Amino acid sequence: MSCIHLEIDGPLATLRLDNPEKLNAFTPQMLKDLEHHCADLEREAGVVGVVLTAEPCKAFCAGADIIAWKDIAPLDFARHWVREGHRIFDRLARLSKPTIAAIGAHAFGGGLELAAACDLRVMAPRATIALPEPQIGIVPGWSGTQRLTRLLPEPVIKEMVLFGRRIPAARCVALGFAAEVAEDPIEKAREVASRLAETSPRATEAAKYMVHAAVGEDRSAMIEALGGGMIGASNDKVEGIAAFANKRKPNFPGN
């Protein structure tokens, strides 16, 4: 049974973590489900925005399910759990559609890294963020010391990862990590996401790629995606493919 659900309601999609007995902590199967849903979302042309949320409990996401990976051999832990998790969270970060994390409770470790992979974050007043990995003898593995350092100042990252401090929602807004604090972050996230229906999906996608290229979020892929989108709409591409199919020299119109 999946512990991550994809629900589509008109132009908006919702990705919902559903593992409340373990504080919505990630299992290996949940990573696979997230990757599968991201692939599905790319094929959903009618979806313009995605809200990421979780079943209500004490945590939006407590990170990784420690019990699920405690017996993994060290080499497999590095090769699979860390690298695959990193790759799948990158897949979420690089969705062509804008994403909003609705953080209704605490986001720790992998849960914080998951929220950081979204384009925008809305937090409940009681929610906090933290990187508690060193307290159990490990380090952040899903971009907590990489992508997160583009979203928060270095001293704040060190507060969390070295000293175990939790950062409350109000301070997250002051630091620019969260857009706002709302009593019902899911409702607020959907309200913000609904505005995407009034914008050009292609322009929004291109703008997201441009920003990602500027901040170094897979810059080479973002630049090539922009170039591919530009040439993909050209008559030169149409002529080139037609010439190849008919085994003749192309006569490019230049537009």
Side-chain angles (χ1 to χ4, degrees):
M1 177 179 174
S2 176
C3 288
I4 299 185
H5 307 295
L6 173 60
E7 301 153 1
I8 297 176
D9 182 12
L12 297 183
T14 301
L15 280 170
R16 179 168 53 87
L17 308 185
D18 185 12
N19 191 15
E21 294 80 9
K22 294 192 175 182
L23 301 179
N24 294 315
F26 260 82
T27 64
Q29 184 60 49
M30 288 172 71
L31 284 177
K32 294 177 182 178
D33 290 342
L34 178 60
E35 183 172 36
H36 176 77
H37 291 324
C38 285
D40 285 346
L41 282 167
E42 290 291 13
R43 292 189 287 266
E44 289 287 346
V47 171
V48 299
V50 182
V51 173
L52 173 67
T53 186
E55 280 296 299
C57 66
K58 294 180 180 180
F60 162 76
C61 177
D65 183 349
I66 296 173
I67 303 303
W69 58 256
K70 68 180 180 65
D71 294 326
I72 298 177
L75 192 56
D76 289 337
F77 181 81
R79 283 179 175 171
H80 303 301
W81 184 247
V82 174
R83 291 180 64 184
E84 286 186 13
H86 215 289
R87 175 177 56 80
I88 293 166
F89 278 28
D90 286 350
R91 184 76 173 81
L92 173 64
R94 295 161 193 169
L95 271 181
S96 63
K97 306 168 194 301
T99 55
I100 303 176
I103 306 171
H106 308 304
F108 296 159
L112 173 54
E113 292 163 321
L114 178 69
C118 293
D119 298 311
L120 188 146
R121 287 152 289 280
V122 178
M123 297 178 68
R126 68 186 184 90
T128 65
I129 62 173
L131 290 171
E133 285 89 343
Q135 297 171 38
I136 56 170
I138 59 173
V139 295
W142 293 342
S143 209
T145 62
Q146 305 301 307
R147 178 178 292 114
L148 205 57
T149 58
R150 298 199 294 269
L151 302 174
L152 286 167
E154 177 190 341
V156 178
I157 301 292
K158 287 179 176 177
E159 275 189 64
M160 290 190 286
V161 78
L162 302 182
F163 300 99
R165 296 191 71 181
R166 296 185 185 186
I167 309 300
R171 189 177 175 204
C172 287
V173 172
L175 289 166
F177 178 73
E180 59 187 289
V181 174
E183 288 292 342
D184 188 338
I186 299 175
E187 179 182 1
K188 176 57 68 173
R190 290 186 64 82
E191 176 191 324
V192 173
S194 68
R195 299 171 194 166
L196 293 166
E198 302 170 5
T199 64
S200 160
R202 292 295 293 155
T204 301
E205 178 181 353
K208 179 171 178 174
Y209 289 164
M210 291 165 69
V211 173
H212 278 195
V215 300
E217 178 70 64
D218 199 16
R219 179 179 285 113
S220 58
M222 295 299 101
I223 291 172
E224 290 186 351
L226 288 167
M230 180 180 71
I231 200 67
S234 71
N235 289 324
D236 277 2
K237 188 202 81 167
V238 174
E239 167 61 13
I241 292 174
F244 179 81
N246 292 299
K247 299 180 179 179
R248 60 173 174 81
K249 288 187 177 181
N251 181 24
F252 294 118
N255 57 38

